[in-house]
Each structure stands twice: as structure tokens, then as C-alpha cells.
């Protein structure tokens, strides 16, 4: 049965324009808002289908992009699941003078073991990457993020982060204020890798051990 609401692809918030181009993901985070609701800021982010690249660019073309600080690939899914499409859309955005960021879980080296993803993102013009560090150690990470077949996701995510720094893109690690997460250890990890560090408030239900 067709959903009557096809889902939101572009949505403004905080002076930025956010792109929600997929609901696919490489993990199943216990804190994911998909578990509790269908979107943010009143936008339904559950897509009835993934939009084609041309559809996304057409929607962007109809926006007054000059009012936004940056365009951010984020939403209810992992944007780099559509790496090639992200690269195409990014090139279009850069040709229109925009600052572009990707919010990612950071499993790109596992998704694309034969590609230099950081280099490709840099070459396309990505300015900044925000990676969900999520935890201070592998045990907590695996419990919280549930990366399934990616048994070395925690180490691989940090390797990808190092690649981002080497490519001279702005990198931020984010964590949520969860009782299971050691904030200071996470902050030290960000310092060690050369990432900025951002703590986001968690407002969902308690997560059971
Ligand atoms: S990476 Fe993001 S979209 Fe994917 S399961 Fe985790 S919180 Fe949800």
C-alpha cells in the first residue's frame, strides 16, 4: 500500500538545509529516533522511496540557497550508503557556492573497502564531516550502535576519521549524553585524532543494558 506522505527530502533548521536521501543504514543504534518517532522538527523523514539524484537537485534548484549557512547530508539513515549520489549532489552544491557537510556513522571503509572515500569526498568539495563517535570503547559501541556484520566497526570508524583529517576536511566527533558513555574518554579520543568534539543531549527513553 502506498503511503500518502512520501516523506521529507529537504528540510530547514538552525539556519541550515538538511538533506534526507535514504533511510538505509549500516547499523541499528539503540538510540535511533527511528525507534521512537518518524522524524524531527515536525518533518516526516520516513521515505516511501529514495529520491533520484535529479529529483534532489531539482528540489535544491527551487530553494533560495543563499539563506542557508550550510547544506547537510543527514536525516533518518546513513547518507554514505548512497556515496556516488552524495558525490554528484555535492558537486552541484559546490558549483553553487555552498558549504557542504555530511553527518555519518563513519562505516565507509567497511562499505567501500576498495575506494578512497575520504579522498573522493574531498575532491567533490565536502567541507566538513561529522562522525557519530558514540562511545569510548568497542564494547559500549557495539552494544549501543549494533553494527551487525561489521564486527570491527569501532576501529574502522576511527580509521575513516583519520583519513578525513589527512584530507584536511573539518572533522567533528559527536556523542550523546547517555549514562553508559564516558564523555571524557570520548573527548580524549577526539583530541588524539584531531577532531572537534560535540556533546548532544539525549532526550529519548532509557536504554536498557
Ligand atoms: S546511524 Fe543514525 S540513522 Fe543509522 S541507526 Fe544509527 S542513529 Fe539511526
Amino acid at each position: 500500500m502506498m503511503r500518502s506522505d512520501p516523506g521529507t527530502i529537504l528540510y530547514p533548521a538552525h539556519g541550515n538545509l538538511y538533506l534526507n536521501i535514504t533511510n538505509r543504514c549500516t547499523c541499528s543504534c539503540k538510540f535511533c529516533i527511528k525507534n521512537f518517532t518518524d522524524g524531527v522538527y515536525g518533518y516526516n523523514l520516513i521515505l516511501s522511496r529514495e529520491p533520484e539524484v535529479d529529483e534532489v537537485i531539482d528540489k535544491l534548484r527551487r530553494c533560495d540557497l543563499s539563506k542557508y549557512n550550510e547544506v547537510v547530508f543527514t536525516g533518518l539513515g546513513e547518507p554514505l550508503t548512497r556515496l556516488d549520489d552524495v558525490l554528484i549532489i555535492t558537486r552541484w552544491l559546490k558549483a553553487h557556492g555552498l558549504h557542504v557537510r555530511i553527518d555519518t556513522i563513519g562505516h565507509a571503509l567497511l562499505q567501500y573497502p576498495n575506494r578512497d572515500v575520504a579522498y573522493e569526498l574531498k575532491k567533490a568539495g565536502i567541507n566538513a564531516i561529522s562522525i557519530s563517535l558514540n562511545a569510548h570503547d568497542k564494547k559500549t559501541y557495539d552494544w549501543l550502535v549494533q553494527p551487525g556484520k561489521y564486527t570491527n566497526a569501532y576501529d574502522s570508524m576511527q580509521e575513516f576519521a583519520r583519513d578525513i583529517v589527512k584530507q584536511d576536511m573539518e572533522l567533528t566527533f559527536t556523542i550523546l549524553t547517555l549514562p553508559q558513555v564516558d564523555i571524557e574518554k570520548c573527548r580524549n579520543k577526539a583530541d588524539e585524532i584531531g577532531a572537534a568534539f560535540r556533546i548532544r543531549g539525549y532526550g529519548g527513553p532509557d536504554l536498557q543494558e
Side-chain angles (χ1 to χ4, degrees):
M1 190 169 61
M2 291 278 289
R3 287 175 64 102
S4 55
D5 179 352
T8 304
I9 298 165
L10 272 63
Y11 57 101
H14 310 300
N16 300 330
L17 183 65
Y18 296 97
L19 301 185
N20 174 48
I21 63 169
T22 185
N23 290 150
R24 284 181 285 155
C25 204
T26 54
C27 53
S28 182
C29 302
K30 282 184 188 285
F31 52 78
C32 183
I33 58 172
K34 274 191 279 196
N35 299 332
F36 320 120
T37 181
D38 60 8
V40 292
Y41 313 127
Y43 298 104
N44 169 30
L45 301 184
I46 304 290
L47 300 168
S48 57
R49 65 173 177 82
E50 290 187 347
E52 301 290 336
V53 168
D54 288 351
E55 286 179 80
V56 177
I57 290 178
D58 191 48
K59 282 184 183 295
L60 287 166
R61 221 188 281 277
R62 291 161 195 257
C63 294
D64 176 6
L65 295 170
S66 66
K67 20 181 227 195
Y68 300 113
N69 301 321
E70 61 179 349
V71 177
V72 186
F73 290 93
T74 182
L76 264 193
E78 168 49 54
L80 294 182
T81 299
R82 296 184 64 182
L83 173 59
D84 288 316
D85 296 338
V86 165
L87 294 173
I88 295 169
I89 297 166
T90 298
R91 285 193 282 270
W92 187 92
L93 289 166
K94 294 309 295 179
H96 291 76
L98 290 143
H99 187 279
V100 184
R101 186 180 94 209
I102 300 175
D103 291 352
T104 175
I105 192 70
H107 297 163
L109 298 184
L110 298 165
Q111 291 175 278
Y112 308 101
N114 300 316
R115 292 173 68 167
D116 187 343
V117 178
Y119 170 77
E120 292 187 57
L121 294 173
K122 172 74 176 182
K123 199 167 158 219
I126 290 290
N127 300 96
I129 311 256
S130 178
I131 296 182
S132 309
L133 174 64
N134 284 322
H136 55 282
D137 63 18
K138 174 177 164 47
K139 185 167 175 248
T140 311
Y141 186 86
D142 287 348
W143 175 77
L144 208 48
V145 171
Q146 305 189 100
K149 65 179 180 179
Y150 293 150
T151 52
N152 63 338
Y154 188 59
D155 288 343
S156 177
M157 172 269 293
Q158 292 173 75
E159 197 184 331
F160 180 55
R162 288 191 175 89
D163 288 352
I164 298 297
V165 172
K166 272 188 216 144
Q167 289 295 338
D168 207 21
M169 287 178 274
E170 298 164 36
L171 173 67
T172 302
F173 272 155
T174 63
I175 61 160
L176 293 171
T177 50
L178 291 166
Q180 296 86 355
V181 175
D182 185 323
I183 293 177
E184 286 317 307
K185 283 186 180 167
C186 290
R187 192 193 304 278
N188 290 342
K189 209 167 264 296
D191 286 347
E192 176 204 315
I193 289 179
F197 187 58
R198 183 163 164 244
I199 304 167
R200 296 166 53 224
Y202 174 71
D206 287 348
L207 304 178
Q208 299 307 316
E209 300 276 350

